[in-house]
Each structure stands twice: as C-alpha cells, then as structure tokens.
Amino acid sequence: MLPDYEDLRLDHDLMEMMCEIRRMDNEIGEIILTSGEMVTWVDEVIDTEIQAYEKGGYDEPPGLRDAYHVAGLFVLPWDPEEVCELDSYITGGDVPDVPDGMEDLLDWVNTSPYDQFVTASVFLSESEELEGLDRMTAWSLFRALLYNTGLENIGSCKIYDKIIEGYDVTSGKVQGERDRQSIIRDVTTAIHESYKEAIDAYRDMDISKDLDGNELSFIRNSRSCRGSFTVQDASSWTNGLEDQSIRSKLSRLTELGLLTKEGRTKGMRFRYNDPFEDVRRDAEQRFIEECGDFSFTKGK
C-alpha cells in the first residue's frame, strides 16, 4: 500500500538536511574543474554503481553507462511498459513483463505531491519489491528522478556507496523491517553524506581560485549558454573590458582546457569544453535507436 499524504510528515531536522543538499548541489554547480578531473571523478562515481551491483553476484549491465549519461531524458511521467524496455536496454536481457505492482507505483510517482527526496526514497524502496525489474534499472530511475526534480549535480555523487549500507546486496532488498519514515531518513542521509564527500573532493580540485573575476564570468556564462559564443558575446559578460583583454583571457582559458576555440580571427568562436558532450550525444543516439521515442523523452 503506497502512502497517503498524511502518512509522511517531515520533521525539522530532516527538512534542514534536504535544504542543505540543495545548497550543496548549487555549490557543486559553481565549482570549476578541468575536463580531466571531471572525467576521472565521474568514472569513479559510475564504478561505485558497478561495484555495488557486482557484490550481488551480477555482471556490469551493458547499458548502465549510457543510462548514467542520459539521465536527463527520463522525465516524468513514466510508463510501465517503457520502463520494462529501459530495463532490457540497461541489462541487455529480454524485455520483462510488467511486474505486479509497477503500475500502481508509477501512478503514485507520476502524481506524487511530496518533496523530491520523499518521492525518490519511496520509489526506491518500493521498486526493490517488484519481481522482474532489475535493481540497476530502479537505481538509474532513482537518480534520474532526483536529477529531473532539481538536483542537477546528483551525478557527481557516489550515492550507492552510502545507500548500499542499508541493503542486503545478495537480494537487493532493504535489510529488516523498517517503516517508510526510517527509509526516507536513511536514504536522505545517504544522499547528504554523498554530497559532502563530493563537495570535499570538488573543492580540492577547484581551479577557480586561479582565475580572476572576468575569467570566472566567462566560464560560468559559457556553461549556461550551452553553445558557442563570440568575443562580442563575452564582452556583455564583463564590465568595460577591452576586446584585446577579452581575447587574451579567452585564450588563457582555452590553454587551461576550459574552453575550445572554433574558427579564426573575426569568425572565431569559443565554447565551454564539456568533456561529456560527445559521450552524452552518442549514448542518447544508442538509446533512441534501440528503445525508440519513449514518452518520457519527448520533453527534450
């Protein structure tokens, strides 16, 4: 039986923890890493998922890395049959029948009035009870649910390292009988701990202290514009800096590997160097080719 609204009351300490997670998510988004450091850290994050899965005696799911990089595609509402197709894609197995209870669970998730942490925690604990749905499919959707409800940097956190401590790795089920309040608190605490770990690691790798205010502005604006930009565009991100100085700073950021340069002289454009752009595009293409146009990808 899925919870009614009155069943789930959040105490002050838990709400404070949720607010702190959101604050840390924003902080991670402001930290600047080189592309090499970002790739190394994300590889470690994905490896923790694989290691947690392998502890249960399973091989690495062939579609797990794609699912990680295209989490932004899995926007609500989720459809039971399409989730089963996603399960087949991630595991490399046959498309399973819709498990008993999945339709009710997804109906609840799709219309949940609760906080994102409550919804994700209930989804994770309930999905563990569904016979026929692979564990990593449920966990990939758990991360995607948090990502698509505002935690844009959840992919930087080794959440499985922390959550796995409360699970029986041989069965993939929550250890012992616990009420939903306890599960929500434990899952939220695990997310909180994983964010603190990520923040500590990111601060150690942060190179923003080596950049001046204008250079920081160029990087942050280039990340948000999600496309190439000109020197003239960059001039709108600073206060009265001359073109030659702007070009010099953009060249320095290119040398640091934070930007890429396209074209020459007057036609020159710059772009934020997202090390996962090609990986994400290739993963999305494979996903769409094999799974088709899922309803929960149509918003992209």
Side-chain angles (χ1 to χ4, degrees):
M1 175 73 86
L2 290 162
D4 293 323
Y5 189 75
E6 294 299 322
D7 292 342
L8 299 175
R9 300 270 184 172
L10 306 181
D11 61 43
H12 177 75
D13 289 344
L14 186 55
M15 293 177 67
E16 285 289 311
M17 188 185 302
M18 293 173 175
C19 289
E20 177 70 6
I21 292 170
R22 297 186 186 100
R23 186 199 64 75
M24 289 191 287
D25 189 85
N26 290 332
E27 182 176 345
I28 288 177
E30 291 296 312
I31 292 174
I32 298 173
L33 308 183
T34 65
S35 58
E37 288 167 335
M38 288 176 63
V39 169
T40 298
W41 179 258
V42 166
D43 283 346
E44 289 182 18
V45 171
I46 297 175
D47 285 344
T48 64
E49 297 186 29
I50 295 168
Q51 290 162 12
Y53 191 75
E54 289 176 341
K55 286 180 181 178
Y58 307 102
D59 294 329
E60 176 182 338
L64 175 62
R65 294 178 187 272
D66 280 1
Y68 174 92
H69 286 291
V70 297
L73 292 179
F74 306 151
V75 296
L76 297 174
W78 294 339
D79 175 87
E81 292 184 355
E82 291 176 345
V83 167
C84 289
E85 290 184 52
L86 174 64
D87 183 271
S88 172
Y89 179 81
I90 290 176
T91 65
D94 295 332
V95 178
D97 293 331
V98 175
D100 291 341
M102 180 185 279
E103 290 189 20
D104 288 342
L105 174 58
L106 295 188
D107 282 345
W108 184 86
V109 169
N110 290 337
T111 59
S112 171
Y114 298 106
D115 179 280
Q116 66 202 113
F117 299 101
V118 174
T119 303
S121 299
V122 171
F123 168 75
L124 183 62
S125 63
E126 293 290 332
S127 66
E128 298 286 358
E129 302 300 320
L130 298 177
E131 298 293 338
L133 182 71
D134 190 84
R135 181 183 192 187
M136 288 313 301
T137 303
W139 284 44
S140 294
L141 287 171
F142 167 75
R143 183 184 58 242
L145 178 56
L146 291 169
Y147 176 88
N148 284 291
T149 52
L151 294 185
E152 294 187 356
N153 294 294
I154 189 69
S156 301
C157 300
K158 300 177 181 179
I159 53 176
Y160 302 97
D161 262 2
K162 309 298 182 296
I163 295 178
I164 197 68
E165 295 172 4
Y167 282 77
D168 178 348
V169 296
T170 60
S171 69
K173 298 185 183 300
V174 176
Q175 292 177 354
E177 294 296 326
R178 291 189 288 167
D179 59 33
R180 287 196 179 93
Q181 291 281 7
S182 297
I183 291 173
I184 292 166
R185 178 172 295 281
D186 289 349
V187 171
T188 303
T189 300
I191 295 171
H192 186 259
E193 291 298 315
S194 72
Y195 262 95
K196 289 198 297 184
E197 178 185 51
I199 284 284
D200 288 343
Y202 270 50
R203 283 172 178 162
D204 287 343
M205 296 184 287
D206 187 11
I207 65 169
S208 62
K209 60 183 177 298
D210 299 322
L211 306 178
D212 65 27
N214 286 308
E215 290 165 339
L216 286 171
S217 176
F218 295 152
I219 291 300
R220 287 169 179 158
N221 280 282
S222 67
R223 286 197 300 198
S224 62
C225 80
R226 300 184 183 279
S228 62
F229 62 93
T230 64
V231 171
Q232 184 176 2
D233 294 326
S235 68
S236 67
W237 302 336
T238 187
N239 292 320
L241 203 62
E242 295 182 355
D243 279 4
Q244 187 55 46
S245 295
I246 293 174
R247 291 179 185 276
S248 176
K249 291 182 182 300
L250 294 177
S251 294
R252 177 170 183 261
L253 294 173
T254 302
E255 291 171 2
L256 290 172
L258 299 174
L259 298 178
T260 57
K261 189 184 297 184
E262 303 170 355
R264 296 182 178 180
T265 59
K266 292 185 178 180
M268 185 179 296
R269 302 183 71 87
F270 297 85
R271 182 188 299 270
Y272 174 68
N273 184 19
D274 178 355
F276 303 110
E277 183 175 359
D278 291 341
V279 173
R280 191 161 46 245
R281 183 175 58 250
D282 292 346
E284 181 176 337
Q285 182 176 346
R286 286 191 296 270
F287 176 79
I288 297 299
E289 285 178 352
E290 186 162 330
C291 299
D293 187 14
F294 280 16
S295 63
F296 54 74
T297 69
K298 288 179 180 177
K300 296 297 287 184

